[in-house]
Amino acid sequence: KKGGARVRFSAYDLSAVSPPKLQRPGSEAPTEQALPSLAAVVQHQRSPSDEQRSAAAAIADAMGSLAASPDLGVQLRPAARFYASELRRLSTDGTPVLGGRTSELLSSLLRFHLSSVFAEDEGVPDPLISTLRAKVHEQAAAHGFLEVGSEPSEENFSAVVTQALQILEAHERHLLAGGETRDALDAAVAGRAEALLLLDPAVKHGLLLWAQSHAMLLAVFG
């Protein structure tokens, strides 16, 4: 229970997939098994066409009506509401169905493996790992990834590096050769910085996030 309310974990939204923990060997297996298929499904939904958006909206309306129907079993209504919401987001802003949950599972798995790699044996501190952890904390605080005064814990270390890696992956498309953004960056390097001013504000924000994460990781790992 949380705040007096019962928390339920379900299969339809993948909340029943428990996050892996170092204390439970093999606990990463369910997430690792689910992610390849989920990633393929999410990737297939990227940049939906107008026809696909219209179809998603129609199905979302149907699922919403189904969820409100007294003929539907009580236990099935949350699933209908969930997919109505997911499909509505796909139809409006192009967010893939189960995209958010897939990102959460990937983030948990990345944190798990980072913790595994940089974990220290009990009572046997590793000077290199301690140095890396301290450098990550220092750079993360300097670049706004951590609150001032937070402790350089293993949890913070894994979370910060995971966040930075995900930001790099999310915005790396801006750097691909042949695109408008890359052309503007190349023009800026050649002394024509005004090309950057013409970019979409969201693109410029993405470039700043990418640069921030890249600078932090470069400062730590070289």
Side-chain angles (χ1 to χ4, degrees):
K1 294 186 177 182
K2 185 178 181 181
R6 184 180 296 276
V7 178
R8 296 183 182 277
F9 299 100
S10 307
Y12 65 80
D13 62 356
L14 304 179
S15 59
V17 180
S18 300
K21 294 183 178 180
L22 286 178
Q23 298 82 0
R24 298 205 320 264
S27 61
E28 73 279 12
T31 303
E32 289 183 339
Q33 291 168 3
L35 272 175
S37 297
L38 281 171
V41 169
V42 169
Q43 186 62 34
H44 188 68
Q45 299 174 73
R46 297 290 185 192
S47 304
S49 65
D50 291 340
E51 288 184 357
Q52 289 170 327
R53 287 174 183 263
S54 296
I59 299 173
D61 290 340
M63 294 294 285
S65 299
L66 183 63
S69 172
D71 295 329
L72 185 68
V74 174
Q75 292 183 333
L76 295 177
R77 291 175 189 172
R81 285 195 295 268
F82 173 79
Y83 281 102
S85 175
E86 290 284 294
L87 286 161
R88 197 161 288 117
R89 291 182 64 195
L90 176 64
S91 68
T92 54
D93 60 17
T95 301
V97 173
L98 291 177
R101 184 56 180 149
T102 300
S103 294
E104 291 172 0
L105 290 173
L106 178 59
S107 179
S108 294
L109 191 62
L110 279 171
R111 289 199 303 272
F112 169 81
H113 284 299
L114 282 168
S115 295
S116 299
V117 171
F118 292 101
E120 294 178 319
D121 293 332
E122 258 185 76
V124 187
D126 186 312
L128 177 59
I129 292 178
S130 298
T131 299
L132 281 174
R133 193 172 292 156
K135 287 181 69 176
V136 165
H137 184 270
E138 176 188 341
Q139 293 298 322
H143 288 85
F145 283 87
L146 284 177
E147 293 183 9
V148 176
S150 61
E151 293 295 322
S153 65
E154 181 178 309
E155 181 180 353
N156 279 340
F157 173 87
S158 300
V160 165
V161 175
T162 296
Q163 182 184 6
L165 289 172
Q166 288 182 307
I167 289 174
L168 286 183
E169 193 277 334
H171 299 287
E172 69 177 357
R173 66 185 186 281
H174 297 313
L175 304 177
L176 297 177
E180 178 186 3
T181 306
R182 179 58 182 268
D183 291 343
L185 289 169
D186 291 340
V189 171
R192 301 189 303 278
E194 64 276 4
L196 291 175
L197 299 177
L198 301 177
L199 292 175
D200 184 274
V203 172
K204 287 187 281 190
H205 181 63
L207 287 174
L208 288 173
L209 289 175
W210 187 94
Q212 179 188 43
S213 299
H214 184 265
M216 191 205 78
L217 292 173
L218 190 63
V220 174
F221 299 103

